[in-house]
Amino acid sequence: MLIFKLYKNELMEYEDVVRTVVDLFKRAETELGEDVIKALKFAYENEENEVAKMNLKNILENIEYAKLNKIPICQDTGLPIIFVEIGKDVCLDFDLRSAIIEGVRRATKEVPLRPNAVHPITRENPGDNVGKEMPYISIDIVEGDELKIAVMPKGGGGENCSALKMMLPHDIDKIKRFVVEVVKNAMGKPCPPIFIGLGIGSTFDGCAKLAKKALLRDVTEMNEFEMDILEAVNDLGIGPMGMGGKFTALAVLSEVGYTHTSSLPVAVNIQCWANRRAFAVLR
Amino acid sequence: MELKSPVRREDLKRFKAGEIVYVSGEIITARDSAHKRILEYLRKGMDLPFELDGSIIYHCGPLVEEGKVIAAGPTTSARMNDHTKELLNYVESIAIIGKGGMNIDFKGKAIYLAYTGGCGALASKSIKKVKDVHWLDLGMPEAVWVLEVERFPCIVAIDIKGNNIYNEVKKKVEENYRRLMEKI
């Protein structure tokens, strides 16, 4: 995991948060986490299909080249998504949300990020990745005196292939079928090998958020339930870039939330191989 | 295997779906708007400012900074299906580089090479030089960039006989899916 630590004796200032957000985007866009690289290397070493191996080789070389030259891994630098956890003992004398938005604005210029955020109907592009409800910012209040910021620039391909279903409470056994169906419909479009964020429970919207937040987890640590789904997904044989192979997905990462007694919301958030995220802890 | 432009039909017969090929020499980028304009020129019988016949067309909108290519990954080729179908009437042979494949009849005039999606940084490593640029009025990504590449690593996804890796994989995936659904 890429984690910055910034501890100050003085009060945390607006500019600290802005700079941190810019740095986090710079890191996330140019360098993948060790866990993601480990998963991709495992796939490369264990793939037998020659075409699949070639695609994985290109991916690994691309990652190395981007890091070395400090350039974005992919020209789709994603939509700016930010998860914040703020300790209840943290004292701020500025608006945290404004600081994060300013960080995105500056990152768009400095990294640079492709201006991807547009109005959904008019398709008007403000050019700085900032607009109504954009960047996507989630703020949770937690124990402690630290401010944790995670950025996750997310490409359009994976997001477009994601899906949510309000299942019935007795459909628990069908969760796996749903995930397999979503991945099958996606084929090569989300640039596999993919990472699958799986949200189970909560509300209609809360479930989608769980799926997205799950993608922040270490991709090399899965439980039995997740491994079982991963195995089924990989039995499809879509392979890297939809050109066949053993590795369609590299991880299934799930999060659960309590839900209504009559509901079972299930969300599948697809992430391309460039699972870009970076983390910072400020105090 | 190596492929160099200008490509000739006889030459294209050497490549079979599933093979790895390294592209060197001149390639030209073209996405939606460039294809549209190319066809406008061809329909009117006007001369293009670059050589189309025998060219290697890369479906890509590069990120170029001060004359240098920073990132140049492939874009989804299927969007260019209709344009390419018409374009083939005006050429003897071409090669196409892109991602995701195409669903048209190449009429024995073209092969399709896949380059790994998302690998924009690595692509810039193979691009040695920006030789020229045409139609910059279409905007940086949509303009036609003439690039000099060296050992650009691709996979033959559709060969001259029409063997198509994507279609084969799709067929297998459908079978696997049916089998899986009975089991789980």
Side-chain angles (χ1 to χ4, degrees):
Chain A
M1 297 271 159
L2 297 165
I3 303 177
F4 289 122
K5 284 205 160 76
L6 179 67
Y7 293 150
K8 289 181 64 170
N9 292 323
E10 318 98 80
L11 265 181
M12 196 187 301
E13 287 163 30
Y14 176 83
E15 198 56 29
D16 294 331
V17 173
V18 176
R19 281 308 331 159
T20 301
V21 170
V22 175
D23 289 346
L24 283 175
F25 272 103
K26 181 97 198 160
R27 286 284 282 274
E29 295 288 357
T30 56
E31 237 177 283
L32 290 185
E34 279 167 29
D35 56 331
V36 174
I37 295 175
K38 199 172 153 192
L40 283 163
K41 278 192 178 149
F42 179 81
Y44 174 68
E45 281 154 16
N46 290 279
E47 190 60 82
E48 286 150 11
N49 177 321
E50 202 193 347
V51 168
K53 243 183 145 64
M54 175 74 172
N55 277 316
L56 289 162
K57 184 169 160 257
N58 279 351
I59 288 171
L60 287 167
E61 279 181 18
N62 183 72
I63 293 166
E64 211 170 293
Y65 192 74
K67 182 181 174 184
L68 193 71
N69 293 283
K70 297 185 170 60
I71 53 177
I73 292 162
C74 176
Q75 69 274 10
D76 181 358
T77 50
L79 265 191
I81 293 162
I82 297 114
F83 286 99
V84 179
E85 282 184 4
I86 182 162
K88 63 179 174 50
D89 300 329
V90 175
C91 234
L92 300 176
D93 64 350
F94 59 87
D95 177 25
L96 180 60
R97 208 171 270 275
S98 310
I100 292 170
I101 292 170
E102 178 58 22
V104 167
R105 212 173 253 134
R106 269 194 232 170
T108 302
K109 260 195 222 150
E110 288 179 28
V111 175
L113 306 177
R114 193 168 78 175
N116 283 329
V118 301
H119 186 279
I121 310 288
T122 65
R123 312 309 288 184
E124 171 258 345
N125 191 330
D128 59 1
N129 283 314
V130 173
K132 190 173 188 299
E133 299 289 328
M134 190 54 60
Y136 174 96
I137 305 171
S138 155
I139 301 179
D140 287 328
I141 298 167
V142 297
E143 286 296 318
D145 62 350
E146 290 178 336
L147 174 67
K148 292 183 182 165
I149 304 176
V151 307
M152 179 202 268
K154 203 162 177 312
E159 205 68 355
N160 282 349
C161 295
S162 301
L164 189 147
K165 193 171 182 179
M166 300 304 284
M167 298 175 83
L168 299 171
H170 60 258
D171 281 347
I172 295 165
D173 292 343
K174 293 185 184 154
I175 293 175
K176 184 156 83 173
R177 289 174 72 99
F178 178 54
V179 179
V180 170
E181 186 195 329
V182 172
V183 176
K184 191 218 83 173
N185 290 339
M187 286 298 294
K189 280 182 292 201
C191 283
I194 55 173
F195 295 91
I196 300 170
L198 177 60
I200 303 170
S202 185
T203 53
F204 176 76
D205 54 323
C207 175
K209 188 171 162 186
L210 286 174
K212 182 152 269 120
K213 217 173 171 181
L215 289 166
L216 290 174
R217 274 177 40 193
D218 185 323
V219 303
T220 60
E221 286 170 17
M222 278 174 275
N223 61 35
E224 242 173 77
F225 167 73
E226 294 162 341
M227 292 285 281
D228 181 48
I229 298 177
L230 179 65
E231 203 180 308
V233 163
N234 282 334
D235 279 346
L236 283 171
I238 295 170
M241 296 300 141
M243 300 178 83
K246 290 203 291 195
F247 293 89
T248 301
L250 298 176
V252 174
L253 306 158
S254 65
E255 291 286 337
V256 298
Y258 271 52
T259 189
H260 193 282
T261 184
S262 69
S263 304
L264 177 59
V266 178
V268 180
N269 198 194
I270 307 273
Q271 167 64 49
C272 65
W273 63 259
N275 188 5
R276 292 162 286 187
R277 60 257 206 279
F279 306 83
V281 184
L282 286 82
R283 196 188 282 156
Chain B
M1 289 184 98
E2 295 252 3
L3 177 67
K4 259 190 174 180
S5 69
V7 300
R8 293 289 164 244
R9 211 188 279 209
E10 274 308 304
D11 193 35
L12 293 181
K13 286 181 185 163
R14 289 193 293 137
F15 302 95
K16 298 200 169 49
E19 284 177 342
I20 287 159
V21 54
Y22 292 91
V23 177
S24 296
E26 194 178 290
I27 66 171
I28 57 174
T29 70
R31 355 186 330 150
D32 314 59
S33 304
H35 275 81
K36 202 171 151 226
R37 191 172 287 180
I38 288 171
L39 288 178
E40 282 165 12
Y41 271 58
L42 293 175
R43 285 179 202 141
K44 288 182 193 154
M46 288 158 65
D47 284 339
L48 289 164
F50 46 87
E51 190 60 43
L52 186 67
D53 199 7
S55 66
I56 301 172
I57 300 173
Y58 183 22
H59 294 156
C60 163
L63 174 61
V64 185
E65 205 176 62
E66 289 165 11
K68 205 173 174 299
V69 176
I70 306 294
T75 192
T76 302
S77 298
R79 289 201 317 275
M80 268 64 77
N81 273 346
D82 289 345
H83 295 127
T84 305
K85 205 169 151 188
E86 189 180 339
L87 187 150
L88 284 170
N89 295 330
Y90 297 93
V91 295
E92 274 301 307
S93 50
I94 53 169
I96 298 166
I97 307 174
K99 79 162 175 148
M102 300 182 84
N103 264 320
I104 51 165
D105 179 6
F106 283 154
K107 297 172 188 160
K109 288 182 170 185
I111 59 168
Y112 179 89
L113 312 175
Y115 176 65
T116 315
C119 291
L122 181 68
S124 73
K125 188 183 171 188
S126 298
I127 297 167
K128 294 299 160 194
K129 199 166 81 180
V130 175
K131 288 175 84 176
D132 208 350
V133 58
H134 304 283
W135 302 344
L136 251 184
D137 60 296
L138 297 175
M140 184 202 289
E142 299 287 343
V144 172
W145 295 86
V146 183
L147 308 171
E148 177 83 31
V149 299
E150 200 179 296
R151 289 187 67 76
F152 189 45
C154 299
I155 296 153
V156 183
I158 307 171
D159 63 24
I160 202 111
K161 287 186 181 154
N163 296 311
N164 184 326
I165 290 191
Y166 296 99
N167 289 350
E168 280 166 32
V169 170
K170 201 170 177 201
K171 230 192 281 167
K172 273 188 209 148
V173 170
E174 291 289 350
E175 271 168 38
N176 292 339
Y177 178 68
R178 268 196 300 276
R179 203 169 336 120
L180 265 165
M181 284 299 116
E182 282 164 18
K183 217 167 65 178
I184 60 175

